Amino acid sequence: MPLRKLLAAIVLFLATAAAAQSPQPVPQFRTVGDARQLFVNNHPFLILGGELANSSSSSLRYMQPIWPRLKLLNLNTVLVPISWEMIEPEEGRFDFAVTDGLLEGARRNGLHIVALWFGSWKNSMSSYVPAWVKRDERRFPRAQAADGTTLEMLSAFSLANEDADARAFAALMRHLRQVDPQRTVLMVQVENEIGMIPSARDHSELSNAAFAKQVPTVLVPKGKAGGTWAQVFGSDADERFMAWNDARYTERVAAAGKAEYPLPMYVNAALAQRGALAGQYPSGGPLPHLFDIWRAGAPSIDMLSPDIYFPNFVEWARKYAVPGNPLFVPEASRAGQEEESSNAFFAFGALNAIGFSPFSIDSISTEGQPLGQAYAMLGGMTQLIVQAQQRGTIRGFRPPVAFNGTIDETPAAATLGGHRFNVSFIDPWTPRDQQHIASHGGLVLQCGPDEFLFAGSGITITFAPADGAGYDGIESAWEGRFEQGQWKPRRLLNGDETHQGRHVRLPPDRFSIQRVRLYRYH
Ligand code: DGJ
C-alpha cells in the first residue's frame, strides 16, 4: 500500500476509534417551544416502552429469550428493575454482574433502558432491601401502623435507612456512569410507588417525634393561611406530613445518585380511587394533590409520573401533563389491553408525552400485537411528532372512558392550521357490535400549509374552515407509511375510501397513516 494511503487509513482508524470512545451527551430534559422533552444524543426522543414484570430482570438467562421479543414489539426502551438486594448483597460489597448483563442484552437488541431503582420501597413495602438490612431492625427501623403493628417497610424517618439507600444508589449511578458512555440507560426511576399503607402516616417512635416537631412549623404552601399544619390541613395533615418526609428522603437518595451521574430522574405514583382515604391508597405518594410538596421537597426529581391502571386514562394523564412536568406513563396498565394503543396516541398527540409504557410487557405474545403496530407507526413518525410538539401543531384523540368503564362516544373537536376537525370514534362502515370503541384513537399533525398527517385507527374526520367562511374539501389523501423517517406514499385515496371527498377515515381493523391536503371552496 502506498504510504499516503496507509497514513489515510491510520487516520481514519484512529478517528473512528476516538468517536467510538467519546461519550454521547448525557440524556437531559430541555424545554423547546411548547414542549418539555427528553433529549437523547442531542435529539428529542419518544420512549416507546414497556416495563418488565418485577422479577424478570433478576436473571440474565431468564431474560435471554425476552430481549428479541421486545424488539419484535417495536419498543425502543425497556423499563428494567435494578434492586438494592441484587447489587449490594453484603454491606459495602457491590456486584454489578447482572446490571452489566442487562445493559449488554439491551444493546445487543438496539434497546434503551429506563432503570427502576427498587431501593427502600417498592409498592410501599421494603421487600427489595438486602438481607443485611432486613435482618437488622435495630439499625434500620421499620414503619408502624396506627395500631402499633410493625410493617415490613423501612421508616422514612431514619437517617440510617436514608444513608444506606443513598450510598447504594450512588454506587449504582457511579457504576452506570463508568460502564455506559453510549447512554443505553436514559433515565432512572427512584424507588417504586412510594407511600404509606395501611395508615395515612408512619406511627413509629421516630415518626411520632418528627410529627410533634414538624407539625407546628413545617412548610405551608402559598395561598394557605398560617397556623399549625394540623390546623391548616385538618385531616390531610397526616398525608401531607408523610408526603413531605417521603419527598425529603427520596431527595437525599436521588441527589446522592445525581452527584455521581446526573441522569434524569422521576418518581411514580400509585393512584387513588375516588373517595378512598389516605392509607387505603399509598399515602403521601406523588399524587396531584401533593405535587406542591413533592416539588418543594425533592427538587432533584425531574418528573412525577402516574401508573395508570384505572380506565379513566384521559383524566389521569391530563392531571400529570402540567407545566414543568412532562408526561411519562411508566405503567400504562398491564400490557395487552385493547385500549393501550389509543392511550399512546392520545398521550403523544394531545399531551406532549415523552413516553408510554405498559406494565409486564414480557408477558404478551408478539404475534399481531396492536401495540407493536402502533409503536412501529409512532417510531417512524417520531421526528415529525417531536417537532410538532415543540410548535404546538399536533392534536391527539381517543374517547374518554369514565372510572366505571362508560365510554364517552361524543366526537372530539380540534382546530389546527386554520381548519376545524370533527373526529368521530364510531366507524361508519363497520357494524356497531363489531367495534371496540375504546381502542379507537389517533393523532393529527400539521406538515405544511393546509397539509396534515392523520395516524391511528378507528377514527373518521370531517373538516371546516376555522373562520367559518366557505367549505373544506380534500385536494388529495395519500395512504402511506414512514420508512426510516421517510414518507413512502402507497395509494391515492378517493371514491369510497374518502366517501367521495366527504371525510378521512382510518379504518378500525388496522393502524394507518394518511397525508391529506385540504382546500377551500365557497
Ligand atoms: C404497580 C407496581 O408499580 C408494579 O411494580 C407492579 O407490582 C404492578 N403494580 C402490578 O400490577
Side-chain angles (χ1 to χ4, degrees):
M1 188 188 286
L3 191 60
R4 257 199 16 234
K5 273 202 169 164
L6 181 66
L7 282 176
I10 291 172
V11 168
L12 182 69
F13 172 78
L14 290 176
T16 317
Q21 293 292 308
S22 70
Q24 312 271 2
V26 177
Q28 56 172 207
F29 282 110
R30 289 187 208 161
T31 301
V32 185
D34 281 9
R36 187 147 177 84
Q37 297 177 316
L38 177 67
F39 274 68
V40 176
N41 197 15
N42 281 328
H43 296 288
F45 188 87
L46 296 183
I47 293 178
L48 305 174
E51 178 167 326
L52 295 176
N54 293 163
S55 306
S56 309
S57 61
S58 67
S59 158
L60 297 180
R61 184 188 287 259
Y62 187 87
M63 280 302 296
Q64 250 173 33
I66 292 177
W67 294 114
R69 285 176 35 215
L70 303 176
K71 202 59 202 160
L72 283 175
L73 285 168
N74 298 309
L75 268 69
N76 60 22
T77 306
V78 56
L79 278 63
V80 179
I82 296 182
S83 69
W84 189 359
E85 68 173 353
M86 197 166 92
I87 66 160
E88 197 182 6
E90 285 166 36
E91 185 167 10
R93 182 174 72 77
F94 290 96
D95 180 346
F96 293 111
V98 176
T99 308
D100 292 347
L102 294 169
L103 263 60
E104 266 306 304
R107 284 178 193 141
R108 266 202 314 275
N109 290 278
L111 290 160
H112 284 286
I113 283 180
V114 169
L116 313 179
W117 173 237
F118 285 7
S120 292
W121 302 296
K122 193 274 169 191
N123 291 46
S124 308
M125 305 301 284
S126 299
S127 56
Y128 279 94
V129 305
W132 56 270
V133 175
K134 281 184 181 161
R135 287 178 172 277
D136 196 345
E137 239 181 289
R138 284 170 72 87
R139 186 174 158 207
F140 303 110
R142 305 289 181 85
Q144 285 180 348
D147 65 1
T149 310
T150 303
L151 305 163
E152 201 188 31
M153 188 187 290
L154 294 188
S155 172
F157 299 87
S158 153
L159 254 185
N161 293 349
E162 193 177 284
D163 280 347
D165 188 335
R167 265 198 305 274
F169 186 60
L172 171 64
M173 296 307 291
R174 191 179 319 128
H175 183 75
L176 290 180
R177 173 169 51 83
Q178 287 160 359
V179 300
D180 192 27
Q182 54 275 71
R183 314 303 179 203
T184 298
V185 181
L186 301 180
M187 287 202 299
V188 182
Q189 177 187 294
V190 187
E191 315 291 346
N192 186 80
E193 292 196 352
I194 298 168
M196 182 72 195
I197 38 173
S199 304
R201 73 168 175 89
D202 178 1
H203 288 264
S204 64
E205 250 175 61
L206 284 171
S207 171
N208 289 341
F211 194 74
K213 214 164 108 190
Q214 288 183 7
V215 160
T217 52
V218 93
L219 148 146
V220 175
K222 279 192 213 115
K224 299 260 186 186
T228 67
W229 197 339
Q231 282 163 352
V232 173
F233 298 118
S235 59
D236 294 342
D238 281 359
E239 185 178 23
R240 296 184 78 93
F241 166 78
M242 209 56 230
W244 172 252
N245 288 286
D246 277 346
R248 293 308 296 156
Y249 188 117
T250 307
E251 170 63 16
R252 211 15 239 307
V253 174
K258 275 204 169 168
E260 296 294 340
Y261 185 23
L263 281 181
M265 294 187 188
Y266 72 95
V267 286
N268 62 329
L271 304 181
Q273 271 198 38
R274 195 164 294 151
L277 299 175
Q280 290 169 336
Y281 62 85
S283 168
L287 287 157
H289 64 284
L290 303 169
F291 278 2
D292 53 354
I293 292 188
W294 270 91
R295 282 174 164 174
S300 297
I301 294 296
D302 301 282
M303 187 168 68
L304 310 173
S305 297
D307 291 345
I308 311 182
Y309 288 87
F310 297 142
N312 48 339
F313 181 93
V314 167
E315 190 182 338
W316 280 108
R318 281 192 197 287
K319 288 185 186 178
Y320 278 81
V322 293
N325 194 59
L327 178 65
F328 174 55
V329 191
E331 296 179 44
S333 199
R334 291 187 83 85
Q337 309 282 317
E338 68 170 11
E339 66 273 19
E340 63 196 359
S341 308
S342 54
N343 286 336
F345 281 110
F346 177 80
F348 290 117
L351 300 176
N352 284 354
I354 64 143
F356 183 87
S357 156
F359 176 71
S360 197
I361 193 71
D362 44 327
S363 65
I364 59 171
S365 80
T366 50
E367 289 300 303
Q369 206 43 257
L371 184 72
Q373 294 161 21
Y375 274 1
M377 181 179 274
L378 289 163
M381 297 173 70
T382 293
Q383 183 64 14
L384 287 165
I385 292 174
V386 292
Q387 272 172 10
Q389 287 182 339
Q390 293 169 356
R391 295 176 186 150
T393 52
I394 186 167
R395 306 284 182 267
F397 314 98
R398 62 142 303 138
V401 180
F403 180 74
N404 68 6
T406 310
I407 304 168
D408 178 356
E409 297 176 353
T410 316
T415 304
L416 188 59
H419 300 272
R420 192 162 169 73
F421 302 115
N422 186 283
V423 183
S424 166
F425 301 108
I426 300 168
D427 187 64
W429 309 140
T430 308
R432 260 317 273 276
D433 59 355
Q434 288 169 28
Q435 299 196 37
H436 302 283
I437 309 281
S439 69
H440 294 185
L443 56 81
V444 57
L445 61 85
Q446 184 165 15
C447 52
D450 298 322
E451 198 170 6
F452 302 91
L453 275 172
F454 293 91
S457 174
I459 55 175
T460 303
I461 306 101
T462 51
F463 331 89
D467 62 9
Y471 307 92
D472 268 347
I474 297 175
E475 180 184 299
S476 61
W478 278 93
E479 179 188 68
R481 50 187 295 165
F482 282 91
E483 283 170 21
Q484 272 119 39
Q486 294 300 309
W487 172 247
K488 304 279 176 198
R490 180 164 164 250
R491 276 194 303 170
L492 178 59
L493 302 181
N494 205 332
D496 293 342
E497 277 66 49
T498 64
H499 196 15
Q500 335 307 325
R502 291 185 188 88
H503 68 209
V504 162
R505 170 178 177 254
L506 305 182
D509 58 349
R510 60 181 189 275
F511 293 92
S512 55
I513 311 181
Q514 290 180 31
R515 188 174 192 133
V516 177
R517 190 188 280 272
L518 300 175
Y519 78 102
R520 188 188 296 223
Y521 62 94
H522 294 274

